[in-house]
Amino acid sequence: MTDSLFTPFSLRETTIPNRVMLSPMCQYSAEEGMPNEWHRVHLGTRAVGGAGVVMTEATGVERRGRITPGCLGIWSDEQAAALEPITAFVRSQGAVPAIQLAHAGRKASHAPPSEGGHALPADHADGWETISATDEPYPDEEPAATRRMDGDDVEEVIDAFAAAAERALSAGFEIAEVHAAHGYLLHQFLSPVTNDREDAYGGSFENRTRLVREVVEAVRGVWPDDKPVFVRISATDWLPDRDSWDVDDSVRLAPLLADAGADLIDVSGGGIHPDQELPNAGPGYQVPYAEAIREGTDVPVAAVGGITEPTHADALVRNGRADLVALGRELLRHPYWPLEAAHELGAEVEWPVQYRRGRFE
């Protein structure tokens, strides 16, 4: 039988009820990294709406790893405890709770988009020192100083990812995703645009990919054997006129990530530099990147990028172009999209008992 959007998907011993995944979407609503009622309702609503995987926003493994002061964190046991009732509710609705473990690197210490998104220097009341593969700050009208990481910093970051994964497990998450995309810290090591190092973490492809491989190994080392680990990557920097990370690099990286313990590659693009040349953002504009990785490596993939129509999402799975379909903005607009998509596609899905009066006849 051909797999479809509403065919269950198993990785290790974890079964995802369908192929729809809530893509990580920053909410800028936490205080000192602590989740609150907004996060409970935001994530819980998507579980009620039928998404197979409900994933948190980028969740800082260190305080200095947050993108903004309002970003979620999991560097403390208190944060993990506050996430526990959220994961319990997500599971109660039949969805699989997932967390994106993240470190923003030189793209940390920024104001939220609603306040302009500009850099917050370390001496700002809400700012802090950022770290990166380089000492070149992220380009901004008033860029904040960035410190090049030394060996101790590298070890601290690896340990922070592992500790965060342990806390995520205690909080009830079933999938851990390592964020290595969108110009954040691990991507800063991958891309020659930002990695100007001359040590074991810079220069060659092997060296530039070393940190993300070590982070995935560290997360896999504390994550149970029966639960999957995802990695989100930017398949390309969208900087064709300079030495940069591209799709061929991503195809080459994917099996190395699998060897390190990754079970699925969540494929996105861009974010390393504001001069990126964005492609025409039509429906499924990033799907070819996921398809290239799936065809070139046999590693399962999630596809993202302007996917809004149920028939389109279903075709991606039926035609073997993706194993999961990640929806971001569309699930912000339509949190019950999976239930409506199932009706349009003629698939039988379980509605919450409280909402069964709303089922389509």
Side-chain angles (χ1 to χ4, degrees), residues 42-54:
H42 166 65
L43 296 170
T45 299
R46 275 71 196 172
V48 170
V53 176
V54 174

Side-chain angles (χ1 to χ4, degrees), residues 47-96:
V48 170
V53 176
V54 174
M55 188 172 291
T56 69
E57 65 194 82
T59 305
V61 299
E62 293 186 320
R63 188 180 186 279
R64 63 183 174 180
R66 295 170 298 162
I67 305 166
T68 77
C71 289
L72 203 59
I74 192 162
W75 66 83
S76 76
D77 293 343
E78 292 76 16
Q79 292 161 342
L83 286 162
E84 196 169 351
I86 299 176
T87 64
F89 181 79
V90 169
R91 284 196 308 277
S92 76
Q93 300 306 302
V96 178

